[in-house]
Amino acid sequence: MNVYIDDKEADIATSADQLLDDVLQAAREQVDEMGRMIVGIVCDGIDVLDEELAATLQKPQSEFQRVDLHSADPVELVCEALTQAEQLLDETARSAKGIVEQLTCGNTADAMPILSSCCQAWLEIHGGVANAMDALKINPDTVQVDGKPIVEVLAEPIRVLNDIKEAVTARDFVLLSDILSYEFEEAAESWRGIINAIRQIAGGRK
């Protein structure tokens, strides 16, 4: 099996009885020394999708003729991901106002799907932030957001999500409107602070 990293043949020992995962780990060690990370894998000309990755890596190397690995600068990836998270955050802020208007008019059936999308977006933002910190190997205990530990700041959006869930479960739409009107934006500002803090760390590593 031939292994290429960014279109260049890699000096990685391969063995038919080893798993493809062994190749990936060896490649990660090589690109890590150059300050990069593996972001894509192509086996015999076919892109391996995220949902297929775990199963593919457990296959023996003998099943493949050529494996292409693609790397990227983690700082660039993080900055791009943070920008996308910020855009998603702005969209949820606009959606929250629309949800309140729908609830005020008694259109709960129209409001709930939008609310569900907002909550899902916040979960995606949380995942994006966690992935960004992992990519840059940032210890959360060392991150400060406006002078506060990041864990403390993160507690605010988590609390608001829990309050939203409880209000929906109780079908207390008056309380839900109040949360979206007065607490949602404050929680969004916590997210913005976290995003900016990580962006500053990333900027210092360029």
Side-chain angles (χ1 to χ4, degrees), residues 1 17 19 24 101 122 138 159 182 188 191:
M1 183 181 73
D17 59 347
L19 300 178
L24 180 60
E101 292 175 0
W122 273 25
I138 299 173
R159 180 189 66 77
Y182 304 111
W191 275 126

Side-chain angles (χ1 to χ4, degrees), residues 93 122 179-190 192:
W122 273 25
I179 293 171
L180 294 174
S181 296
Y182 304 111
E183 299 180 40
F184 195 87
E185 180 56 33
E186 184 176 344
E189 283 302 315
S190 295
R192 291 188 181 95

Side-chain angles (χ1 to χ4, degrees), residues 16-123:
D17 59 347
Q18 287 185 312
L19 300 178
L20 185 60
D21 188 49
D22 296 318
V23 172
L24 180 60
Q25 296 306 321
R28 281 175 172 163
E29 292 178 6
Q30 285 193 14
V31 300
D32 186 61
E33 293 177 357
M34 298 182 289
R36 297 176 69 82
M37 61 187 294
I38 299 295
V39 295
I41 179 171
V42 179
C43 295
D44 294 330
I46 300 175
D47 287 318
V48 178
L49 304 178
D50 289 344
E51 56 269 24
E52 303 169 346
L53 181 60
T56 301
L57 292 178
Q58 293 308 305
K59 293 181 179 181
Q61 297 176 25
S62 58
E63 291 191 17
F64 308 99
Q65 295 296 319
R66 171 170 172 155
V67 172
D68 286 272
L69 301 169
H70 301 289
S71 72
D73 182 342
V75 173
E76 292 179 359
L77 290 178
V78 165
C79 290
E80 181 180 343
L82 292 177
T83 297
Q84 293 175 350
E86 208 162 33
Q87 292 172 347
L88 194 57
L89 191 60
D90 291 340
E91 290 175 10
T92 63
R94 290 190 293 269
S95 295
K97 295 179 181 179
I99 295 169
V100 172
E101 292 175 0
Q102 295 283 3
L103 292 175
T104 302
C105 296
N107 299 328
T108 56
D110 294 330
M112 289 303 98
I114 303 173
L115 177 62
S116 177
S117 295
C118 284
C119 293
Q120 181 60 40
W122 273 25
L123 293 177

Side-chain angles (χ1 to χ4, degrees), residues 164-176:
I164 289 173
K165 180 180 179 180
E166 291 176 3
V168 171
T169 301
R171 298 190 65 80
D172 190 339
F173 299 118
V174 173
L175 175 59
L176 179 58

Side-chain angles (χ1 to χ4, degrees), residues 138-206:
I138 299 173
N139 181 353
D141 295 335
T142 66
V143 182
Q144 294 282 315
V145 180
D146 296 328
K148 298 180 181 178
I150 191 172
V151 175
E152 181 180 329
V153 178
L154 184 59
E156 178 62 16
I158 292 175
R159 180 189 66 77
V160 171
L161 280 178
N162 287 333
D163 288 349
I164 289 173
K165 180 180 179 180
E166 291 176 3
V168 171
T169 301
R171 298 190 65 80
D172 190 339
F173 299 118
V174 173
L175 175 59
L176 179 58
S177 292
D178 287 343
I179 293 171
L180 294 174
S181 296
Y182 304 111
E183 299 180 40
F184 195 87
E185 180 56 33
E186 184 176 344
E189 283 302 315
S190 295
W191 275 126
R192 291 188 181 95
I194 291 171
I195 290 171
N196 286 333
I198 298 174
R199 181 180 283 120
Q200 289 178 6
I201 294 174
R205 299 189 181 182
K206 288 184 178 180

